Amino acid sequence: MAIERTFSIIKPDAVKKNAIGGVTAKLEEGGLRVIASRMVRLTEAQAKAFYAVHKDRPFYGDLVKFMTEGPVVVQVLEGENAILKNREIMGATNPEKADAGTIRKLFGTNIERNAVHGSDAPETAAQEIAFFFSGADLAALAR
Ligand code: ADP
Ligand code: MG
């Protein structure tokens, strides 16, 4: 199994719930390491671009509004099989359907306000990391 990097966002609902530490602890307990982290307030243009893949979905407008309503924490996570592992630790998109002990079960509110984003494949992980972090940032932080 290869060491991978993936991209995570602690969404505005979880930041508002004072759960940055709680979410990060679940990631760390699951074997992932935070190698870059920054708190940002997304602009409408950034949220629209980040979620452009969903632009034709009925929830797109509300999603952009939600993601810009308050600060988020953008993170790069590293570990064995990190992309899939992060998705497991996150749980299902709908917190009601997420397994017990997952981040979305613990900290999510509903299918929209579901506490975290996580990349779903190597290509999207690379794109999403590059959206928020420069190669220079990551090189400076490498162990
Ligand atoms: P995931 O975040 O699990 O990869 P998607 O990529 O399908 O899920 O959707 C992106 C985000 O859009 C979700 O995390 C959630 O915030 C929101 N979303 C997805 N489906 C819905 C829906 N049916 N109604 C409202 N918001 C949704
Ligand atoms: Mg997705």
Side-chain angles (χ1 to χ4, degrees):
M1 211 75 78
I3 297 281
E4 286 178 340
R5 287 178 178 177
T6 191
F7 176 73
S8 167
I9 304 179
I10 305 177
K11 295 184 177 182
D13 58 326
V15 172
K16 201 173 291 172
K17 286 181 185 178
N18 204 21
I20 295 172
V23 168
T24 305
K26 294 299 293 182
L27 299 171
E28 291 174 345
E29 284 162 16
L32 299 172
R33 175 178 292 270
V34 178
I35 63 159
S37 184
R38 189 166 81 242
M39 187 176 246
V40 292
R41 178 82 181 255
L42 297 184
T43 64
E44 188 183 334
Q46 284 175 320
K48 279 183 171 168
F50 184 81
Y51 279 117
V53 65
H54 295 305
K55 68 180 186 319
D56 296 326
R57 308 287 287 277
F59 58 80
Y60 180 64
D62 283 345
L63 177 60
V64 168
K65 207 167 165 196
F66 162 53
M67 290 300 292
T68 56
E69 75 177 27
V72 302
V73 177
V74 294
Q75 296 177 318
V76 180
L77 310 176
E78 189 176 82
E80 289 277 340
N81 210 13
I83 297 165
L84 198 64
K85 187 174 286 175
N86 182 42
R87 295 291 308 198
E88 286 170 8
I89 299 167
M90 288 164 60
T93 305
N94 186 347
E96 283 172 25
K97 297 190 176 150
D99 288 342
T102 60
I103 290 171
R104 283 169 162 172
K105 186 63 148 192
L106 288 166
F107 301 111
T109 302
N110 58 41
I111 193 165
E112 177 186 82
R113 305 176 70 83
N114 59 4
V116 279
H117 167 84
S119 308
D120 57 10
E123 299 72 32
T124 49
Q127 277 169 22
E128 291 172 0
I129 289 170
F131 192 95
F132 286 102
F133 294 95
S134 74
D137 288 335
L138 297 169
L141 293 162
R143 282 167 290 144

